[in-house]
Short mmCIF file of all heavy atoms in Angstrom, two decimals:
data_model
loop_
_atom_site.label_atom_id
_atom_site.label_comp_id
_atom_site.label_asym_id
_atom_site.label_seq_id
_atom_site.Cartn_x
_atom_site.Cartn_y
_atom_site.Cartn_z
N ILE A 259 3.70 -194.28 -46.47
CA ILE A 259 2.70 -193.62 -47.32
C ILE A 259 3.37 -193.26 -48.63
O ILE A 259 4.40 -192.57 -48.64
CB ILE A 259 2.12 -192.35 -46.67
CG1 ILE A 259 1.42 -192.71 -45.36
CG2 ILE A 259 1.16 -191.66 -47.62
CD1 ILE A 259 0.88 -191.49 -44.62
N ARG A 260 2.81 -193.76 -49.75
CA ARG A 260 3.31 -193.40 -51.07
C ARG A 260 2.16 -192.76 -51.87
O ARG A 260 1.11 -193.39 -52.02
CB ARG A 260 3.86 -194.63 -51.80
CG ARG A 260 5.02 -195.30 -51.07
CD ARG A 260 5.59 -196.43 -51.95
NE ARG A 260 6.65 -197.15 -51.26
CZ ARG A 260 6.46 -198.27 -50.56
NH1 ARG A 260 5.22 -198.76 -50.48
NH2 ARG A 260 7.45 -198.88 -49.96
N LEU A 261 2.39 -191.57 -52.37
CA LEU A 261 1.34 -190.82 -53.04
C LEU A 261 1.76 -190.46 -54.45
O LEU A 261 2.93 -190.15 -54.70
CB LEU A 261 1.01 -189.55 -52.26
CG LEU A 261 0.62 -189.72 -50.79
CD1 LEU A 261 0.44 -188.37 -50.13
CD2 LEU A 261 -0.63 -190.56 -50.66
N GLY A 262 0.78 -190.49 -55.35
CA GLY A 262 1.05 -190.02 -56.71
C GLY A 262 1.05 -188.51 -56.73
O GLY A 262 1.69 -187.87 -55.90
N ALA A 263 0.36 -187.88 -57.67
CA ALA A 263 0.30 -186.43 -57.73
C ALA A 263 -0.37 -185.92 -56.45
O ALA A 263 -1.55 -186.11 -56.24
CB ALA A 263 -0.48 -185.99 -58.96
N VAL A 264 0.42 -185.28 -55.59
CA VAL A 264 -0.07 -184.96 -54.26
C VAL A 264 -1.18 -183.93 -54.28
O VAL A 264 -2.23 -184.10 -53.68
CB VAL A 264 1.10 -184.44 -53.38
CG1 VAL A 264 0.59 -184.08 -52.00
CG2 VAL A 264 2.16 -185.52 -53.25
N ILE A 265 -0.94 -182.83 -54.99
CA ILE A 265 -1.89 -181.73 -54.96
C ILE A 265 -2.18 -181.27 -56.38
O ILE A 265 -1.27 -181.13 -57.20
CB ILE A 265 -1.34 -180.55 -54.15
CG1 ILE A 265 -1.08 -180.97 -52.68
CG2 ILE A 265 -2.29 -179.36 -54.17
CD1 ILE A 265 -0.37 -179.92 -51.88
N SER A 266 -3.43 -181.03 -56.66
CA SER A 266 -3.83 -180.47 -57.95
C SER A 266 -4.11 -178.99 -57.79
O SER A 266 -4.94 -178.60 -56.97
CB SER A 266 -5.06 -181.20 -58.48
OG SER A 266 -5.55 -180.56 -59.63
N THR A 267 -3.45 -178.18 -58.57
CA THR A 267 -3.66 -176.74 -58.47
C THR A 267 -4.92 -176.30 -59.19
O THR A 267 -5.27 -175.13 -59.19
CB THR A 267 -2.46 -175.97 -59.05
OG1 THR A 267 -2.17 -176.48 -60.36
CG2 THR A 267 -1.23 -176.16 -58.18
N ASP A 268 -5.60 -177.26 -59.84
CA ASP A 268 -6.90 -176.93 -60.42
C ASP A 268 -7.94 -176.65 -59.33
O ASP A 268 -8.94 -175.99 -59.57
CB ASP A 268 -7.39 -178.09 -61.30
CG ASP A 268 -6.50 -178.27 -62.51
OD1 ASP A 268 -5.83 -177.29 -62.91
OD2 ASP A 268 -6.45 -179.39 -63.04
N ASP A 269 -7.68 -177.18 -58.17
CA ASP A 269 -8.57 -176.96 -57.05
C ASP A 269 -7.72 -176.56 -55.87
O ASP A 269 -7.11 -177.40 -55.20
CB ASP A 269 -9.37 -178.24 -56.73
CG ASP A 269 -10.37 -178.03 -55.61
OD1 ASP A 269 -10.42 -176.92 -55.09
OD2 ASP A 269 -11.08 -178.99 -55.26
N ILE A 270 -7.62 -175.28 -55.60
CA ILE A 270 -6.68 -174.77 -54.60
C ILE A 270 -7.31 -174.60 -53.24
O ILE A 270 -6.81 -173.88 -52.39
CB ILE A 270 -6.04 -173.45 -55.06
CG1 ILE A 270 -7.13 -172.40 -55.31
CG2 ILE A 270 -5.21 -173.66 -56.31
CD1 ILE A 270 -6.57 -171.02 -55.65
N SER A 271 -8.46 -175.22 -53.02
CA SER A 271 -9.11 -175.13 -51.72
C SER A 271 -8.23 -175.79 -50.67
O SER A 271 -8.09 -177.01 -50.63
CB SER A 271 -10.48 -175.80 -51.77
OG SER A 271 -11.07 -175.82 -50.49
N THR A 272 -7.66 -174.98 -49.80
CA THR A 272 -6.73 -175.53 -48.80
C THR A 272 -7.45 -176.38 -47.76
O THR A 272 -6.81 -177.19 -47.08
CB THR A 272 -6.00 -174.39 -48.09
OG1 THR A 272 -6.96 -173.49 -47.51
CG2 THR A 272 -5.13 -173.62 -49.07
N SER A 273 -8.77 -176.21 -47.63
CA SER A 273 -9.52 -177.02 -46.68
C SER A 273 -9.45 -178.50 -47.01
O SER A 273 -9.56 -179.37 -46.13
CB SER A 273 -10.97 -176.57 -46.59
OG SER A 273 -11.62 -176.75 -47.87
#
Side-chain angles (χ1 to χ4, degrees):
I259 298 177
R260 299 186 183 93
L261 305 175
V264 178
I265 299 173
S266 172
T267 51
D268 294 335
D269 183 359
I270 59 175
S271 174
T272 56
S273 62

